[in-house]
PDB file of all heavy atoms in Angstrom:
ATOM      1  N   ARG A 918      11.930  -1.316   2.953  1.00 90.00           N
ATOM      2  CA  ARG A 918      11.969  -1.158   1.501  1.00 90.00           C
ATOM      3  C   ARG A 918      12.890  -2.228   0.946  1.00 90.00           C
ATOM      4  O   ARG A 918      14.080  -2.228   1.217  1.00 90.00           O
ATOM      5  CB  ARG A 918      12.468   0.230   1.140  1.00 90.00           C
ATOM      6  CG  ARG A 918      12.327   0.563  -0.315  1.00 90.00           C
ATOM      7  CD  ARG A 918      12.693   2.023  -0.516  1.00 90.00           C
ATOM      8  NE  ARG A 918      12.528   2.442  -1.866  1.00 90.00           N
ATOM      9  CZ  ARG A 918      13.437   2.267  -2.832  1.00 90.00           C
ATOM     10  NH1 ARG A 918      14.547   1.663  -2.561  1.00 90.00           N
ATOM     11  NH2 ARG A 918      13.200   2.707  -4.048  1.00 90.00           N
ATOM     12  N   ARG A 942       7.181  -4.025  -6.150  1.00 94.00           N
ATOM     13  CA  ARG A 942       8.114  -3.105  -6.799  1.00 94.00           C
ATOM     14  C   ARG A 942       7.425  -2.259  -7.880  1.00 94.00           C
ATOM     15  O   ARG A 942       7.823  -1.137  -8.148  1.00 94.00           O
ATOM     16  CB  ARG A 942       9.271  -3.891  -7.403  1.00 94.00           C
ATOM     17  CG  ARG A 942      10.282  -3.042  -8.112  1.00 94.00           C
ATOM     18  CD  ARG A 942      11.391  -3.898  -8.711  1.00 94.00           C
ATOM     19  NE  ARG A 942      12.316  -3.086  -9.448  1.00 94.00           N
ATOM     20  CZ  ARG A 942      13.345  -2.454  -8.929  1.00 94.00           C
ATOM     21  NH1 ARG A 942      13.572  -2.537  -7.633  1.00 94.00           N
ATOM     22  NH2 ARG A 942      14.142  -1.732  -9.675  1.00 94.00           N
ATOM     23  N   ARG A 945       6.761   1.127  -6.665  1.00 93.00           N
ATOM     24  CA  ARG A 945       7.880   1.731  -5.938  1.00 93.00           C
ATOM     25  C   ARG A 945       7.893   3.253  -6.023  1.00 93.00           C
ATOM     26  O   ARG A 945       8.091   3.929  -5.020  1.00 93.00           O
ATOM     27  CB  ARG A 945       9.190   1.161  -6.489  1.00 93.00           C
ATOM     28  CG  ARG A 945      10.470   1.800  -5.970  1.00 93.00           C
ATOM     29  CD  ARG A 945      10.840   1.393  -4.565  1.00 93.00           C
ATOM     30  NE  ARG A 945      10.776  -0.007  -4.294  1.00 93.00           N
ATOM     31  CZ  ARG A 945      11.714  -0.895  -4.601  1.00 93.00           C
ATOM     32  NH1 ARG A 945      12.801  -0.524  -5.222  1.00 93.00           N
ATOM     33  NH2 ARG A 945      11.555  -2.153  -4.286  1.00 93.00           N
ATOM     34  N   THR A 946       7.701   3.824  -7.186  1.00 92.00           N
ATOM     35  CA  THR A 946       7.730   5.281  -7.342  1.00 92.00           C
ATOM     36  C   THR A 946       6.669   5.936  -6.471  1.00 92.00           C
ATOM     37  O   THR A 946       6.940   6.915  -5.773  1.00 92.00           O
ATOM     38  CB  THR A 946       7.517   5.671  -8.822  1.00 92.00           C
ATOM     39  OG1 THR A 946       8.506   5.016  -9.612  1.00 92.00           O
ATOM     40  CG2 THR A 946       7.615   7.167  -9.013  1.00 92.00           C
ATOM     41  N   ASP A 949       7.562   5.694  -2.765  1.00 92.00           N
ATOM     42  CA  ASP A 949       8.557   6.711  -2.403  1.00 92.00           C
ATOM     43  C   ASP A 949       7.921   8.091  -2.247  1.00 92.00           C
ATOM     44  O   ASP A 949       8.278   8.850  -1.356  1.00 92.00           O
ATOM     45  CB  ASP A 949       9.685   6.762  -3.434  1.00 92.00           C
ATOM     46  CG  ASP A 949      10.585   5.534  -3.370  1.00 92.00           C
ATOM     47  OD1 ASP A 949      10.525   4.784  -2.370  1.00 92.00           O
ATOM     48  OD2 ASP A 949      11.348   5.316  -4.337  1.00 92.00           O
ATOM     49  N   GLN A 950       6.952   8.410  -3.118  1.00 92.00           N
ATOM     50  CA  GLN A 950       6.248   9.691  -2.994  1.00 92.00           C
ATOM     51  C   GLN A 950       5.461   9.744  -1.686  1.00 92.00           C
ATOM     52  O   GLN A 950       5.486  10.754  -0.989  1.00 92.00           O
ATOM     53  CB  GLN A 950       5.285   9.897  -4.169  1.00 92.00           C
ATOM     54  CG  GLN A 950       5.949  10.205  -5.476  1.00 92.00           C
ATOM     55  CD  GLN A 950       4.931  10.296  -6.600  1.00 92.00           C
ATOM     56  OE1 GLN A 950       3.947   9.564  -6.628  1.00 92.00           O
ATOM     57  NE2 GLN A 950       5.182  11.193  -7.536  1.00 92.00           N
ATOM     58  N   PRO A 970      13.386   8.529   2.380  1.00 51.00           N
ATOM     59  CA  PRO A 970      13.071   8.123   1.005  1.00 51.00           C
ATOM     60  C   PRO A 970      13.901   8.858  -0.044  1.00 51.00           C
ATOM     61  O   PRO A 970      14.178   8.310  -1.088  1.00 51.00           O
ATOM     62  CB  PRO A 970      11.590   8.449   0.873  1.00 51.00           C
ATOM     63  CG  PRO A 970      11.067   8.308   2.261  1.00 51.00           C
ATOM     64  CD  PRO A 970      12.181   8.833   3.138  1.00 51.00           C
ATOM     65  N   ALA A 971      14.330  10.068   0.227  1.00 53.00           N
ATOM     66  CA  ALA A 971      15.152  10.810  -0.734  1.00 53.00           C
ATOM     67  C   ALA A 971      16.517  10.151  -0.933  1.00 53.00           C
ATOM     68  O   ALA A 971      17.158  10.334  -1.967  1.00 53.00           O
ATOM     69  CB  ALA A 971      15.336  12.250  -0.274  1.00 53.00           C
ATOM     70  N   ASP A 972      16.978   9.358   0.053  1.00 55.00           N
ATOM     71  CA  ASP A 972      18.270   8.684  -0.028  1.00 55.00           C
ATOM     72  C   ASP A 972      18.218   7.371  -0.798  1.00 55.00           C
ATOM     73  O   ASP A 972      19.253   6.767  -1.046  1.00 55.00           O
ATOM     74  CB  ASP A 972      18.807   8.388   1.378  1.00 55.00           C
ATOM     75  CG  ASP A 972      19.015   9.644   2.199  1.00 55.00           C
ATOM     76  OD1 ASP A 972      19.380  10.683   1.610  1.00 55.00           O
ATOM     77  OD2 ASP A 972      18.801   9.596   3.422  1.00 55.00           O
ATOM     78  N   PHE A 973      17.037   6.886  -1.164  1.00 51.00           N
ATOM     79  CA  PHE A 973      16.908   5.587  -1.816  1.00 51.00           C
ATOM     80  C   PHE A 973      17.517   5.635  -3.200  1.00 51.00           C
ATOM     81  O   PHE A 973      17.322   6.592  -3.954  1.00 51.00           O
ATOM     82  CB  PHE A 973      15.447   5.171  -1.966  1.00 51.00           C
ATOM     83  CG  PHE A 973      14.767   4.910  -0.654  1.00 51.00           C
ATOM     84  CD1 PHE A 973      13.426   5.170  -0.508  1.00 51.00           C
ATOM     85  CD2 PHE A 973      15.448   4.384   0.418  1.00 51.00           C
ATOM     86  CE1 PHE A 973      12.771   4.923   0.675  1.00 51.00           C
ATOM     87  CE2 PHE A 973      14.801   4.138   1.616  1.00 51.00           C
ATOM     88  CZ  PHE A 973      13.471   4.408   1.737  1.00 51.00           C
ATOM     89  N   PRO A 974      18.184   4.571  -3.618  1.00 51.00           N
ATOM     90  CA  PRO A 974      18.672   4.510  -4.996  1.00 51.00           C
ATOM     91  C   PRO A 974      17.494   4.327  -5.932  1.00 51.00           C
ATOM     92  O   PRO A 974      16.513   3.669  -5.590  1.00 51.00           O
ATOM     93  CB  PRO A 974      19.582   3.281  -5.004  1.00 51.00           C
ATOM     94  CG  PRO A 974      19.146   2.459  -3.844  1.00 51.00           C
ATOM     95  CD  PRO A 974      18.558   3.408  -2.840  1.00 51.00           C
ATOM     96  N   ARG A 975      17.558   4.920  -7.066  1.00 50.00           N
ATOM     97  CA  ARG A 975      16.504   4.796  -8.077  1.00 50.00           C
ATOM     98  C   ARG A 975      16.830   3.614  -8.955  1.00 50.00           C
ATOM     99  O   ARG A 975      17.973   3.331  -9.263  1.00 50.00           O
ATOM    100  CB  ARG A 975      16.395   6.063  -8.935  1.00 50.00           C
ATOM    101  CG  ARG A 975      16.081   7.280  -8.124  1.00 50.00           C
ATOM    102  CD  ARG A 975      14.649   7.241  -7.678  1.00 50.00           C
ATOM    103  NE  ARG A 975      14.376   8.399  -6.835  1.00 50.00           N
ATOM    104  CZ  ARG A 975      13.541   8.362  -5.857  1.00 50.00           C
ATOM    105  NH1 ARG A 975      12.887   7.288  -5.571  1.00 50.00           N
ATOM    106  NH2 ARG A 975      13.334   9.441  -5.134  1.00 50.00           N
ATOM    107  N   GLY A 976      15.749   2.955  -9.427  1.00 47.00           N
ATOM    108  CA  GLY A 976      15.996   1.886 -10.388  1.00 47.00           C
ATOM    109  C   GLY A 976      15.413   0.602 -10.050  1.00 47.00           C
ATOM    110  O   GLY A 976      14.614   0.172  -9.458  1.00 47.00           O
TER     111      GLY A 976
END
Side-chain angles (χ1 to χ4, degrees):
R918 190 173 183 276
R942 179 181 177 86
R945 173 75 47 81
T946 304
D949 289 345
Q950 287 176 324
D972 299 326
F973 294 148
R975 300 287 177 213

